Amino acid sequence: DADVTQTPRNRITKTGKRIMLECSQTKGHDRMYWYRQDPGLGLRLIYYSFDVKDINKGEISDGYSVSRQAQAKFSLSLESAIPNQTALYFCATSDPSDSSYNEQFFGPGTRLTVL
Amino acid sequence: AQSVTQLDSQVPVFEEAPVELRCNYSSSVSVYLFWYVQYPNQGLQLLLKYLSGSTLVKGINGFEAEFNKSQTSFHLRKPSVHISDTAEYFCAVSSSGSARQLTFGSGTQLTVLP
């Protein structure tokens, strides 16, 4: 079984709809991240969480919100989706006690299309 | 602030030829460097990392990278590529700052031709 899972894997929605993307991990890591990937732009950080009570904005948080329901679960919401939020979204985890200095482990991604 | 530049967005190469994917970074503090690979329709997986010590780092699938502090580079190399190496490759940097955020480059699409 995969250590980091994302649901759904693909989603098509309409402008103005509320969407939630979910991420679960079995690695036991405290830190979790949400990125979006756009062609030619690489991965950009949306939000990150160092533990259940700690949520931080990343580079491109406008239009997004997150919820850390438990150590193992981190959800990303688009309150009112717009077409330029069409992208591939990745969840990742890392272990702060690991001496690998923030090596991150990625889920398989969610492809979101906003029409 | 830290940043990563991957100079080549696409690199086509014939099978069994050598390849080098270029990565330059900027940071005002000590850095840790990573190369990730993304195969089609998959997430990212770690190829190799530089934390300290030897500047030549070996990773999975025959890849290696060399950290060059004076040139602020971390180029990825493989002496002989296979069709299965076709993927997108991302260079990333993490600084020694408190948050140790990963900053990614824009990616290089490696296409291995038969």
Side-chain angles (χ1 to χ4, degrees):
Chain A
D1 288 338
D3 295 320
V4 185
T5 57
Q6 294 183 233
T7 56
R9 294 294 313 279
N10 287 282
R11 182 71 183 269
I12 299 174
T13 191
K14 294 182 178 180
T15 297
K17 294 291 187 181
R18 184 178 188 273
I19 295 296
M20 178 179 286
L21 309 183
E22 298 187 344
C23 176
S24 295
Q25 53 115 346
T26 58
K27 299 187 76 66
H29 289 169
D30 286 327
R31 297 184 176 186
M32 298 187 73
Y33 308 81
W34 276 105
Y35 292 91
R36 65 177 279 175
Q37 182 183 14
D38 299 278
L41 295 178
L43 277 75
R44 293 179 292 166
L45 184 63
I46 306 172
Y47 270 96
Y48 60 101
S49 169
F50 284 177
D51 63 42
V52 175
K53 297 180 181 179
D54 182 70
I55 303 289
N56 303 279
K57 292 183 177 180
E59 178 187 354
I60 53 164
S61 59
D62 287 349
Y64 301 95
S65 62
V66 291
S67 173
R68 184 81 184 266
Q69 300 95 324
Q71 187 208 36
K73 296 185 182 296
F74 192 36
S75 300
L76 176 72
S77 294
L78 288 67
E79 298 301 327
S80 179
I82 56 176
N84 76 3
Q85 292 177 313
T86 293
L88 188 54
Y89 290 84
F90 286 104
C91 175
T93 73
S94 69
D95 180 359
S97 65
D98 186 348
S99 62
S100 296
Y101 296 96
N102 209 24
E103 176 183 344
Q104 294 184 14
F105 299 84
F106 286 81
T110 295
R111 186 168 297 280
L112 176 65
T113 302
V114 184
L115 301 176
Chain B
Q2 57 194 31
S3 66
V4 178
T5 301
Q6 291 183 244
L7 296 166
D8 307 300
S9 60
Q10 304 213 22
V11 174
V13 63
F14 287 105
E15 193 173 18
E16 298 184 5
V19 70
E20 178 180 84
L21 307 183
R22 297 180 293 170
C23 173
N24 287 90
Y25 69 90
S26 67
S27 175
S28 58
V29 296
S30 298
V31 296
Y32 311 104
L33 295 155
F34 305 82
W35 275 99
Y36 283 84
V37 59
Q38 183 182 25
Y39 297 107
N41 300 312
Q42 295 186 26
L44 278 71
Q45 65 183 81
L46 186 69
L47 261 184
L48 51 78
K49 59 192 175 190
Y50 171 79
L51 305 179
S52 64
S54 173
T55 56
L56 184 62
V57 180
K58 295 188 183 297
I60 62 172
N61 300 337
F63 284 92
E64 63 181 31
E66 186 160 16
F67 171 60
N68 187 319
K69 188 174 181 180
S70 63
Q71 297 187 6
T72 61
S73 67
F74 190 55
H75 301 332
L76 181 69
R77 302 185 182 98
K78 186 170 183 178
S80 176
V81 294
H82 303 288
I83 297 288
S84 59
D85 292 323
T86 294
E88 189 151 23
Y89 292 78
F90 292 94
C91 183
V93 60
S94 172
S95 72
S96 59
S98 60
R100 291 182 178 166
Q101 296 305 326
L102 266 187
T103 299
F104 286 86
S106 55
T108 297
Q109 174 64 44
L110 173 65
T111 301
V112 181
L113 306 167

